[in-house]
Amino acid sequence: MQKNKTAAQLILGVVSLGLIVGFGLSSYTAMEGGPNWLAKVGGKTITEADVANATRGQYISDDQKPEVVQNLIRRQLILNQAQSLRLTPSAAQLRDAIAAIPAFQENGQFSATRYQEMLASTQRTPESFQQEVANDLASQQLVLPFAQASITSKTTVDHLIALLTEKREIAVAVLKPQDYMSQVTVSDAEVKQFYDQHQADLKAPEMVRVEYLVLSKAQLAAQQTVSDDEVQKYFDAHKSELAQGEEREASHILIQSPKTASAADRAAAKAKAENILKEVKANPARFAELAKANSDDPGSKDKGGDLGWNSRGRMVKAFDDAVFSLKQGEISNVVETEFGYHIIKLDGIRGTSLADLKPQIVEKLKNDKAQSLYQAQADKFNEVVYQQADSLKPAADQFKLTVQQSGWITRKGAQDPALNNAKLSDAIFSDDVLNKKHNTEAVEVSPGTLVSARVVEHKDAQVPPLATVAPDIQSRLKNEKAAKLVAADGAKKLAALQKGENVNVAWDAQTKEVARMSGDPSISADRMSALFAAPANKLPSYVGGDDVATGGYILYKVNKVLPQQEISPAMRAQLTRQIEGAYGEEALGNYLKSLQDGAKIEMRAVKAKDPQ
């Protein structure tokens, strides 16, 4: 599955962009009403429950739902064909496949207890799960040969490598609008004409300033006190659940390389991990930054590699042993597991003594007290701001809150985070609050946070006087004129350079090398393509166009084509697999199209349910 990700993703219900083309909904019979099914594929139904299962119960919009259903149709087409070809796995194959799933293992061995617990946590029966695995195994037997059947010639790979590794040396010149400002003039008449023609654009929106109160569970928690006796009592009452052994907080950087990868790929992954380790050891403070940039673990990379707190035995053995052998703040050497190569940093250690657990217990008890207090006060708070609607002071006095003042607020939002809420905005701009000067109801702007506001100043939408906005209009018109001048001059210079004429251009003194494979964040993809499309047999050659970064015009001079770079055997093997994967995906797409053409497919036009 690791070697054939495209096929695996299709089987598991991930939309493959290459298969959307030519496989739309136009050939389906759309139906309204009827029983609770969304589609039928060769007599097999796809229901709302199937969609919920495919999306793991998460809400999806009406626009997203047809794509999920379409993907389930593809999967059902494959499964129907696999079953018609009698590709059903044997009981032994099914048993071995389930036993090999890491989530069901303890210390590298299948655990029946863990299997039952994991299924129960996802509310699935062993029978339904086994059927899902059997379906996947049957589908794999049908789909994987397409991904594995393509063979790419050495010539094709050589040609691709030559294209990807080619480098070009370029010089850059940027023509900036500010350098043309001396050529620009804007008259008072032009400013007045712009003002008259753009009244709607210049109109300042309706605005209000409010005073407001915030009742939040977080504030209440901060105000609570917890005695040592309360901590001891909680500790004594919950010893059994607290005594789960020492926990350790760790972060890691994973360079993915499964056991099934080739020796060359494993070696390349290990070498990459060793190089990252050198960077980490040189500057440990960069660990989170390097994890975000390099880690292949999607669950932790965006958090700087943070894995949270774990007790012994929760991780695979090699990783577990490494974590529990480190001292706090220490960084491991490269650790090899079945998933690849890890660099681990131990961020914290906590035990089960009262001293270790006291901060967590205090925080929990404060939150518990705040939760009870918040629930008791929320309804009363709303009642007070509603019944005494001409002022927030009674509610402020009763609940010991501070009346806060806002900046200017429009219907589109507010700078104050507590007020930047659509429901609260609707309440503030309602007739009762805006014109009758009443308090808003208590609006829950986030879980555990209520806000009530009252308008203290109101400005209608209006066009500012010409004198107020004239400087801004003049600056805008100057910039627009300068942009036109620089674009025209840049295009003129480029045309002259391409004809071989001498042109006065201030090229940067420092040239740079660019390559297709490594790219350059300062050069757009289409501009990079133009640089490599420029004729290499007549140098220098020139490319240019509008520069989004400066609003000006950018010129590139290609000075020389640099020799092709050597690539590692691992990179060559990876490129070969990518080419073969593309061919395999094309073949698989054609096969799916043939299955669709030969199948009876019906779809109901059913909208997604609103989130509850």
Side-chain angles (χ1 to χ4, degrees):
M1 295 288 281
Q2 287 289 345
K3 291 181 179 178
N4 299 282
K5 289 187 177 179
T6 298
Q9 287 174 340
L10 179 65
I11 292 170
L12 297 175
V14 178
V15 174
S16 174
L17 181 61
L19 298 180
I20 292 175
V21 179
F23 200 88
L25 302 179
S26 60
S27 63
Y28 301 152
T29 304
M31 302 181 66
E32 295 280 357
N36 183 30
W37 55 267
L38 302 177
K40 286 184 179 180
V41 185
K44 302 287 186 179
T45 59
I46 294 170
T47 66
E48 289 280 5
D50 294 320
V51 172
N53 187 47
T55 58
R56 289 171 171 78
Q58 296 182 358
Y59 169 72
I60 58 172
S61 68
D62 293 350
D63 292 336
Q64 294 170 317
K65 194 170 195 179
E67 190 168 307
V68 176
V69 173
Q70 186 181 127
N71 210 41
L72 291 171
I73 289 171
R74 292 191 189 99
R75 182 175 180 177
Q76 191 62 53
L77 282 170
I78 293 171
L79 183 57
N80 289 353
Q81 184 68 4
Q83 291 173 342
S84 71
L85 295 174
R86 301 182 185 279
L87 297 178
T88 305
S90 66
Q93 289 174 316
L94 181 60
R95 182 179 60 250
D96 292 344
I98 293 174
I101 297 174
F104 302 147
Q105 296 178 350
E106 288 185 353
N107 300 320
Q109 299 294 320
F110 176 76
S111 167
T113 301
R114 190 169 182 81
Y115 175 59
Q116 296 288 345
E117 289 174 349
M118 293 292 287
L119 292 186
S121 69
T122 57
Q123 299 180 353
R124 285 187 289 185
T125 65
E127 292 76 18
S128 66
F129 179 73
Q130 288 165 20
Q131 186 59 55
E132 289 178 26
V133 176
N135 289 343
D136 281 345
L137 291 175
S139 299
Q140 287 177 42
Q141 293 185 66
L142 182 65
V143 170
L144 292 184
F146 288 95
Q148 298 170 335
S150 299
I151 299 175
T152 303
S153 70
K154 180 179 181 298
T155 302
T156 300
V157 177
D158 288 342
H159 182 61
L160 179 61
I161 290 172
L163 289 173
L164 290 176
T165 62
E166 179 188 337
K167 281 189 174 184
R168 296 193 168 195
E169 181 191 276
I170 64 171
V172 181
V174 179
L175 309 182
K176 300 176 182 178
Q178 54 263 41
D179 296 333
Y180 293 74
M181 284 293 184
S182 61
Q183 304 175 38
V184 173
T185 59
V186 175
S187 67
D188 291 343
E190 288 176 301
V191 172
K192 179 66 165 62
Q193 182 182 28
F194 183 94
Y195 178 80
D196 292 340
Q197 293 176 350
H198 295 82
Q199 296 280 294
D201 297 334
L202 295 169
K203 183 179 287 187
E206 182 182 19
M207 296 185 293
V208 297
R209 284 195 310 106
V210 302
E211 58 183 18
Y212 63 99
L213 295 177
V214 178
L215 177 69
S216 75
K217 189 167 63 176
Q219 289 175 336
L220 294 173
Q223 296 167 5
Q224 303 311 304
T225 58
V226 175
S227 68
D228 288 343
D229 287 343
E230 288 176 297
V231 172
Q232 184 69 56
K233 183 178 179 181
Y234 183 90
F235 180 77
D236 292 340
H238 296 85
K239 275 187 177 179
S240 59
E241 61 189 77
L242 293 173
Q244 297 299 318
E246 180 184 286
E247 290 186 318
R248 296 200 166 202
E249 184 182 28
S251 301
H252 81 142
I253 300 171
L254 168 65
I255 304 304
Q256 191 175 35
S257 184
K259 290 287 188 182
T260 53
S262 67
D265 283 354
R266 295 280 292 180
K270 185 175 182 181
K272 180 179 179 181
E274 294 283 4
N275 288 332
I276 295 171
L277 178 62
K278 291 178 183 177
E279 292 187 69
V280 170
K281 293 279 182 141
N283 190 350
R286 293 187 61 215
F287 190 97
E289 172 193 341
L290 292 169
K292 290 179 180 179
N294 297 284
S295 181
D296 293 326
D297 178 9
S300 68
K301 70 175 296 181
D302 291 339
K303 298 182 288 186
D306 182 18
L307 295 170
W309 291 94
N310 286 283
S311 56
R312 186 181 288 274
R314 292 284 301 277
M315 301 160 283
V316 294
K317 188 175 187 308
F319 192 99
D320 200 65
D321 290 345
V323 168
F324 280 86
S325 67
L326 294 172
K327 296 177 182 177
Q328 185 160 331
E330 191 176 2
I331 296 169
S332 73
N333 292 321
V334 173
V335 176
E336 180 179 0
T337 73
E338 62 198 73
F339 303 108
Y341 297 92
H342 310 256
I343 301 164
I344 305 167
K345 180 166 73 76
L346 185 62
D347 300 315
I349 301 173
R350 66 186 184 194
T352 57
S353 68
L354 178 58
D356 288 332
L357 296 173
K358 183 176 180 179
Q360 294 100 282
I361 295 174
V362 168
E363 182 179 2
K364 174 170 175 47
L365 292 176
K366 281 187 173 184
N367 285 329
D368 288 348
K369 288 182 178 183
Q371 178 64 31
S372 300
L373 194 58
Y374 178 78
Q375 289 173 344
Q377 289 188 358
D379 289 341
K380 187 65 177 175
F381 177 73
N382 193 36
E383 182 181 323
V384 173
V385 297
Y386 176 76
Q387 290 183 347
Q388 302 189 53
D390 293 332
S391 173
L392 291 175
K393 190 174 185 305
D397 292 342
Q398 181 169 339
F399 296 97
K400 296 181 174 56
L401 301 174
T402 301
V403 178
Q404 303 181 57
Q405 303 292 323
S406 78
W408 287 105
I409 301 170
T410 70
R411 292 179 184 269
K412 291 184 177 180
Q415 292 183 341
D416 309 63
L419 304 178
N420 200 20
N421 176 273
K423 186 176 179 181
L424 181 61
S425 178
D426 289 343
I428 289 171
F429 284 92
S430 68
D431 178 69
D432 187 58
V433 176
L434 190 64
N435 299 317
K436 298 179 181 177
K437 306 300 182 184
H438 289 163
N439 302 332
T440 70
E441 63 178 323
V443 176
E444 188 173 40
V445 297
S446 62
T449 302
L450 291 172
V451 173
S452 177
R454 185 169 179 274
V455 173
V456 294
E457 188 174 355
H458 173 228
K459 288 182 180 180
D460 287 321
Q462 56 186 332
V463 179
L466 174 59
T468 301
V469 295
D472 291 336
I473 294 174
Q474 187 175 61
S475 177
R476 175 174 174 173
L477 293 177
K478 278 188 173 183
N479 286 330
E480 288 177 357
K481 287 187 175 184
K484 290 179 180 178
L485 286 176
V486 72
D489 191 40
K492 181 179 177 181
K493 282 182 166 61
L494 177 61
L497 288 168
Q498 290 175 338
K499 291 177 182 177
E501 299 175 7
N502 290 325
V503 180
N504 183 21
V505 175
W507 299 103
D508 287 348
Q510 186 70 38
T511 60
K512 62 195 301 187
E513 295 179 2
V514 294
R516 280 190 180 95
M517 190 160 60
S518 58
D520 185 319
S522 67
I523 303 175
S524 65
D526 59 338
R527 201 62 53 75
M528 186 70 79
S529 297
L531 285 172
F532 281 91
N537 57 353
K538 187 180 179 181
L539 297 176
S541 58
Y542 300 90
V543 172
D546 295 331
D547 182 30
V548 176
T550 65
Y553 197 91
I554 191 164
L555 295 167
Y556 298 99
K557 177 170 64 172
V558 181
N559 290 322
K560 65 176 75 169
V561 175
L562 302 174
Q564 176 183 331
Q565 293 176 278
E566 293 295 327
I567 68 167
S568 68
M571 177 66 76
R572 184 184 183 89
Q574 182 178 345
L575 288 172
T576 301
R577 287 197 301 273
Q578 288 176 345
I579 297 171
E580 291 173 349
Y583 288 147
E585 184 167 331
E586 174 98 13
L588 181 57
N590 291 333
Y591 181 64
L592 271 176
K593 182 66 167 61
S594 71
L595 292 181
Q596 178 208 355
D597 292 341
K600 181 182 179 182
I601 301 174
E602 299 174 280
M603 278 194 71
R604 290 178 61 220
V606 181
K607 290 186 176 181
K609 294 180 180 178
D610 291 332
Q612 298 300 313

